[in-house]
Amino acid sequence: MAYEIANWSKAEFKIYMLLLCAKFDHHEAEEEIALIKSKTDEATFNKIHNEFACDEENDCFEKIEDAINQLEYSPRELLQLKQEILEVFISDNEISQRERYLKKVFDNILY
């Protein structure tokens, strides 16, 4: 394992996932970041953003899978998380091919 297992709260995990959504198409739009910031406080955003910035893409996916297994989401919470992911994708009025791919990956992870 090339990464340290994250011990996030559900709120921290959500911010991490949404940051991956914003960056996955290699273009982090201001609208995407503003939306993510609106879902948390500044300290939490900065903490998770700093961790995210240090992670490789593969590490991101491994951390996300580990967190999903640890945090025990209800079906309702998973649906809400999927909706928030979609909000980030559409916040800049453009859904790229990479974002479509990531949505499918998350649909499989967040079943």
Side-chain angles (χ1 to χ4, degrees):
M1 244 193 266
Y3 69 95
E4 212 174 290
I5 293 176
N7 290 314
W8 294 317
S9 66
K10 286 182 177 180
E12 291 170 330
F13 170 68
K14 176 175 72 174
I15 299 307
Y16 191 89
M17 278 194 74
L18 296 179
L19 284 169
L20 180 59
C21 292
K23 282 223 165 207
F24 198 69
D25 63 355
H26 305 293
H27 174 70
E28 188 178 275
E30 289 179 33
E31 298 89 351
E32 293 170 326
I33 296 304
L35 177 64
I36 295 167
K37 284 182 174 180
S38 75
K39 296 181 178 293
T40 191
D41 59 83
E42 186 176 347
T44 301
F45 177 84
N46 290 336
K47 174 188 170 192
I48 299 301
H49 190 271
N50 289 340
E51 179 175 349
F52 177 81
C54 294
D55 289 343
E56 299 283 329
E57 192 172 285
N58 287 339
D59 294 339
C60 291
F61 285 113
E62 290 183 30
K63 282 183 171 184
I64 287 169
E65 286 190 72
D66 288 345
I68 285 291
N69 292 329
Q70 291 175 1
L71 292 172
E72 299 180 8
Y73 278 87
S74 71
R76 178 180 225 150
E77 289 173 314
L78 290 174
L79 180 60
Q80 177 65 33
L81 195 53
K82 288 179 184 182
Q83 289 172 337
E84 291 184 80
I85 289 167
L86 189 56
E87 284 177 29
V88 171
F89 289 154
I90 63 174
S91 66
D92 64 354
N93 297 317
E94 179 183 339
I95 301 178
S96 71
Q97 184 139 358
R98 281 186 56 88
E99 287 173 330
R100 284 188 196 103
Y101 170 76
L102 184 59
K103 182 184 177 307
K104 288 178 184 176
V105 170
F106 283 159
D107 283 345
N108 287 329
I109 293 173
L110 304 172
Y111 55 91

